[in-house]
Amino acid sequence: MKDKTSSIFSYFSEMPDFRINRRKQHLLTDIITITIAGVICGMESYDDIEDFAVFRQDWFKTFLELPGGIPSHDTINRVFSNMDPARFEACFRNWVDAVLESHPGQLISIDGKTIRGAKSHGIKSPIHMVSAWASDSNMVLGQVRVNEKSNEITAIPELLNSLFIKGNIISMDAMGCQQEIAACIVKAEGDYLLGVKNNQPALHQNLEDSFRFLKIADEDEDIDIGHGRIETRKCTIITDMAHMEHPGKWRKLKVLIRMESKRCDKATGATEHASRYYIASKPESAAFYQKNIRSHWGIENKLHWTLDVIFQEDADRKRNKNAAQNFSLINKVALNILKNDQTKNISIRRKRNIASWDMKYLAKLLNF
């Protein structure tokens, strides 16, 4: 087994232990390691994680100290319920920042997701997570908890301030289309790509007028045939700001973008048309923005869909104190590890199955 200092757990070893010394029977790093390993292997509850660790105890003993043996499900529950999510998140970000800093120029998508299973007695879920996703690195970069979707605007700057932005492009839907957010990205030496809808009515009108009256700088068309439909997407850009009111309010605004899509159902012949608008700070081609606007929605299928369908996050019933937030981060740690494994070109679900059967493969994933 490798030295733990070469793995992700060297970052989580910096996590302060909140527990009273006389009551500690298990090392905090052991509990975190066992939990991450269990989630990688498909365990969803604290009971599952305990059972998995008991069954694999001899294997865990080869690289963990386990002074009190395998922690019980109640112990694991107490730890993740009471652990400071901000400090836990800081350890996570130190890990992903080390990866991101060595791969600049990526698209980083920011979007929110509600953990629906965290509700209790029919009350609306209090857990809405705003997450950042790096498209090229296939990694979750961070998360911030908010009480509901409408509070995403206040959470986004907090998340941005914790990310390594320099040299990267930050994309958001219309919720994040705010002058202060654009300024925050530019100040951190990054670029922005922001969706514009009617929550910014004057800006939206300026964009419509620009594409009605001004000269097109560049355009790119892409045709996608599959799933019983033909979809044509046309990206058009304008670099003339003549119809923009007070363009200086949007820091470093350089490009106006229109995405037109036409979707035709091959069976029925029914056709749907849609137009979406964006603003951006990086002077680039229409083909560049065609690619990156499509990549932005990778956060939906590569992150949110995977957490819901593969990790069953929406069915999760961890409600106690900080448990839902901390365990959401554990899921993202496991997802990052699995996504970045290049040794097996198979689905995440199959990787999890193999990791639960093959301890050599699990050790490789954990870098032990």
Side-chain angles (χ1 to χ4, degrees):
M1 294 288 178
K2 296 181 181 179
D3 186 344
K4 280 189 287 185
T5 59
S6 66
S7 72
I8 178 179
F9 302 101
S10 63
Y11 293 93
F12 284 114
S13 66
E14 300 171 3
M15 179 71 194
D17 197 335
F18 61 89
R19 298 170 299 167
I20 301 171
N21 283 328
R22 61 182 172 80
R23 299 186 64 181
K24 294 179 189 176
Q25 296 183 30
H26 309 278
L27 299 179
L28 184 61
T29 50
D30 285 357
I31 295 172
I32 293 173
T33 302
I34 287 170
T35 303
I36 292 174
V39 171
I40 285 175
C41 293
M43 307 303 118
E44 294 173 2
S45 70
Y46 298 125
D47 299 82
D48 292 342
I49 293 167
E50 179 189 359
D51 292 342
F52 169 78
V54 168
F55 187 76
R56 298 295 187 184
Q57 184 168 359
D58 290 343
W59 180 77
F60 277 116
K61 282 181 177 179
T62 62
F63 58 91
L64 297 181
E65 295 186 35
L66 301 179
I70 297 298
S72 69
H73 60 275
D74 285 334
T75 297
I76 300 171
N77 183 9
R78 281 195 300 272
V79 166
F80 284 99
S81 296
N82 292 285
M83 193 159 57
D84 184 348
R87 290 180 177 271
F88 194 39
E89 173 78 16
C91 296
F92 173 82
R93 287 173 181 160
N94 288 339
W95 171 48
V96 297
D97 281 354
V99 176
L100 194 64
E101 191 169 1
S102 62
H103 295 84
Q106 296 193 61
L107 180 75
I108 299 174
S109 304
I110 294 179
D111 196 26
K113 175 186 178 296
T114 301
I115 303 176
R116 304 185 188 281
K119 66 183 178 182
S120 180
H121 305 296
I123 299 173
K124 184 179 178 181
S125 171
I127 309 297
H128 187 80
M129 307 302 301
V130 180
S131 301
W133 172 264
S135 58
D136 292 344
S137 295
N138 268 330
M139 291 188 76
V140 187
L141 305 180
Q143 64 177 29
V144 171
R145 174 179 172 172
V146 295
N147 289 330
E148 54 188 33
K149 185 174 177 60
S150 61
N151 291 339
E152 282 187 23
I153 293 174
T154 58
I156 289 170
E158 181 183 345
L159 180 56
L160 289 173
N161 288 333
S162 69
L163 299 176
F164 185 85
I165 291 175
K166 185 177 180 180
N168 295 301
I169 303 168
I170 313 300
S171 67
M172 281 172 268
D173 63 14
M175 180 71 78
C177 187
Q178 307 290 329
Q179 293 171 11
E180 297 80 5
I181 289 174
C184 178
I185 294 168
V186 172
K187 184 178 180 181
E189 300 182 55
D191 283 289
Y192 59 80
L193 172 60
L194 306 176
V196 180
K197 289 185 180 178
N198 287 326
N199 64 327
Q200 293 278 358
L203 178 61
H204 192 268
Q205 187 63 55
N206 290 167
L207 284 161
E208 288 186 331
D209 291 343
S210 296
F211 281 94
R212 186 177 295 119
F213 300 114
L214 297 178
K215 180 181 178 181
I216 300 301
D218 191 21
E219 61 183 35
D220 179 74
E221 187 171 276
D222 177 67
I223 299 175
D224 185 18
I225 301 175
H227 303 289
R229 66 174 184 256
I230 302 172
E231 186 169 5
T232 303
R233 289 178 291 267
K234 184 178 180 181
C235 180
T236 310
I237 66 171
I238 288 176
T239 54
D240 186 343
M241 302 294 150
H243 282 283
M244 297 295 290
E245 297 178 13
H246 313 295
K249 288 185 177 180
W250 294 92
R251 291 283 303 277
K252 201 183 163 186
L253 177 59
K254 301 292 184 185
V255 184
L256 312 179
I257 305 163
R258 181 177 65 191
M259 281 289 293
E260 299 170 285
S261 64
K262 181 175 73 173
R263 181 179 297 176
C264 178
D265 188 292
K266 290 193 287 186
T268 65
T271 303
E272 298 177 6
H273 296 265
S275 294
R276 303 187 305 277
Y277 294 94
Y278 301 83
I279 58 174
S281 62
K282 190 177 181 67
E284 276 289 356
S285 67
F288 174 87
Y289 282 111
Q290 171 97 262
K291 173 181 177 291
N292 280 281
I293 288 170
R294 290 199 69 188
S295 294
H296 169 79
W297 298 112
I299 195 170
E300 289 291 339
N301 51 43
K302 292 182 178 180
L303 175 58
H304 296 164
W305 183 89
T306 304
L307 290 174
D308 284 346
V309 176
I310 307 300
F311 285 78
Q312 296 290 303
E313 190 169 78
D314 265 1
D316 202 326
R317 293 295 185 265
K318 299 177 183 68
R319 310 181 182 107
N320 191 30
K321 298 180 182 178
N322 300 322
Q325 184 173 353
N326 284 329
F327 213 84
S328 175
L329 193 66
I330 288 288
N331 283 337
K332 292 179 171 88
V333 170
L335 179 60
N336 281 355
I337 291 171
L338 290 161
K339 282 278 189 185
N340 282 274
D341 170 51
Q342 303 299 318
T343 63
K344 296 185 184 296
N345 187 24
I346 56 176
S347 69
I348 296 295
R349 182 186 63 81
R350 290 180 65 195
K351 285 182 180 180
R352 297 181 87 190
N353 285 340
I354 294 172
S356 68
W357 303 326
D358 184 352
M359 293 298 97
K360 289 183 178 178
Y361 178 55
L362 179 56
K364 185 181 185 307
L365 290 175
L366 296 173
N367 201 24
F368 278 132

